Amino acid sequence: MMRRKTISWIVILFIASFFLFGIKYETVLYIGMSSPTLDGYSIDVEVKIDGKLVLNDSINNNPYKYNTLKKELKIGVRRVEISSVKANVHTIKEIFVLPNQFILLEFLPRLRSEGEEPEFFIMNGFKPFRYE
């Protein structure tokens, strides 16, 4: 009797962990840059998730439209890496991804005259994503 309960719990835990950590969920990546002073400005970006190249393209300054990219990711901690040769920026962040989330990768072209260096802002949140 006790052995049967133990086996039942093991099977239930195995099935639950498979659905949590074995299935990939669609995650939307929003990649963009917005600055009121840099109209028409564009930079190259290279995005890697867990060491795999996801995007190698350029992004333009547009505060109302970000590039979107759909990627299948499993639940768990993911290492997001984004870099730009033109802007001389490289950012790495580890984030915990859950189903129904988005990842935002935003370039912030800081003013070098004020001593601020440009950087990439990386965050995740639950859908829907709104940029205003």
Side-chain angles (χ1 to χ4, degrees), residues 47-109:
V47 179
K48 293 181 183 178
I49 297 179
D50 294 333
K52 296 179 183 172
L53 184 65
V54 175
L55 177 72
N56 190 5
D57 202 0
S58 62
I59 57 172
N60 296 323
N61 180 37
N62 188 344
Y64 304 109
K65 181 161 176 40
Y66 285 23
N67 297 347
T68 57
L69 180 67
K70 294 181 181 179
K71 184 74 178 154
E72 298 278 325
L73 296 176
K74 292 182 181 179
I75 293 175
V77 177
R78 300 285 157 241
R79 180 185 167 123
V80 179
E81 194 173 338
I82 185 165
S83 60
S84 171
V85 175
K86 183 176 181 180
N88 194 24
V89 180
H90 183 81
T91 306
I92 299 171
K93 185 171 182 183
E94 290 188 356
I95 56 176
F96 189 77
V97 177
L98 292 170
N100 201 30
Q101 280 194 323
F102 65 84
I103 298 175
L104 172 65
L105 307 163
E106 185 175 26
F107 179 67
L108 304 172

Side-chain angles (χ1 to χ4, degrees), residues 37-38 41 43 84-89 107-119:
T37 59
L38 297 175
Y41 184 69
I43 62 166
S84 171
V85 175
K86 183 176 181 180
N88 194 24
V89 180
F107 179 67
L108 304 172
R110 306 288 184 161
L111 300 174
R112 290 182 192 254
S113 62
E114 295 180 13
E116 297 177 336
E117 293 296 320
E119 65 178 337

Side-chain angles (χ1 to χ4, degrees), residues 16-25 74-76 78 96:
S17 64
F18 172 75
F19 279 107
L20 280 176
F21 301 107
I23 297 178
K24 292 184 177 183
Y25 297 92
K74 292 182 181 179
I75 293 175
R78 300 285 157 241
F96 189 77

